[in-house]
Amino acid sequence: MALIIMFVFLIISATTATPLPTPPSPAAVELQAAYDARRLINSSVWGVVSSLNYKNGNSPFGNILSYSDGGRGTPYFYLTLLDGAIANFSGADARSSLTVGQFALGTCGIQDPQEPSCAKVTLTGLLQKLDPSSKEGKFANATLFERHPRFSKLPPVAKFQLYKLKISEVFVLNTYGDPKYPTVKSYYSVRL
Ligand SMILES: *[C@@H]1O[C@H](CO)[C@@H](O)[C@H](O)[C@H]1NC(C)=O
Ligand SMILES: *[C@@H]1O[C@H](CO)[C@@H](O)[C@H](O)[C@H]1NC(C)=O
Ligand SMILES: CC(=O)N[C@H]1CO[C@H](CO)[C@@H](O)[C@@H]1O
């Protein structure tokens, strides 16, 4: 008798139990990561740009730099080569990464900066000089001066120039678990 009751109970619970939530598809995970990356890049105005420091045996070097993406995803910079702190952007190896963390926005609550759910994005690529008279150069200049009004006070003698990070890889850590690598294409196709 007890066995029958248990059996009936098992059948009932099997038919009424709420199904386990289906995990999001890999495509949905990639879209979310691409979206989080674009959001964070557009919400921030500065990050750490890492490149090879030719002054120190090409050792890795991180530099805090201002940027703006104008809402389009590509980070633009306004840099002077007189600044001794800037590593070898224009040299033989212009590989660079921009890293931005959500913690700096003050929206991580009580989380530690290192916790994966406090989002981090690293865009890797090449730092390239822009022609200021090109269409992209004009856009970069306008968005940089809009986001960084004090750029208008920089001394002309320092010969600041426009640069962009030509992105080849997107790294996103936005939850516990493995980091995500949304494709550059899905990063750019995000609508904010
Ligand atoms: C990017 O962020 C700025 C504010 O920081 C906002 O004004 C702008 O609308 C955002 N761009 C997009 C495309 O969401
Ligand atoms: C960039 O924008 C600033 C502010 O509008 C302007 O004064 C400057 O001439 C622009 N520079 C270039 C190279 O277009
Ligand atoms: C400004 C700058 O970065 N210049 C150096 C970059 O690296 C090359 C060698 O790879 C040097 O010749 C440049 O002076």
Side-chain angles (χ1 to χ4, degrees), residues 51-55 58 86-96:
S51 59
L52 301 178
N53 183 4
Y54 74 98
K55 287 180 180 164
N58 282 339
I86 292 177
N88 203 342
F89 291 152
S90 59
D93 193 343
R95 284 178 301 160
S96 304

Side-chain angles (χ1 to χ4, degrees), residues 44-47 49 64-70 75-80 83 86 137-164:
S44 307
V45 291
W46 65 272
V49 174
I64 290 182
L65 295 180
S66 296
Y67 74 89
S68 176
D69 83 329
Y76 297 112
F77 303 88
Y78 196 51
L79 308 172
T80 170
D83 182 345
I86 292 177
K138 285 179 180 155
F139 177 77
N141 189 71
T143 184
L144 280 163
F145 276 75
E146 188 195 331
R147 282 279 179 104
H148 302 276
R150 287 183 61 85
F151 278 179
S152 60
K153 303 195 185 312
L154 293 170
V157 65
K159 293 193 173 62
F160 278 81
Q161 292 175 321
L162 300 165
Y163 285 80
K164 78 169 184 181

Side-chain angles (χ1 to χ4, degrees), residues 35 38-39 41-45 68-73 146-147 190-192:
Y35 181 80
R38 281 287 299 278
R39 268 289 297 271
I41 292 295
N42 184 58
S43 305
S44 307
V45 291
S68 176
D69 83 329
R72 293 188 187 173
E146 188 195 331
R147 282 279 179 104
V190 168
R191 298 250 166 280
L192 287 178

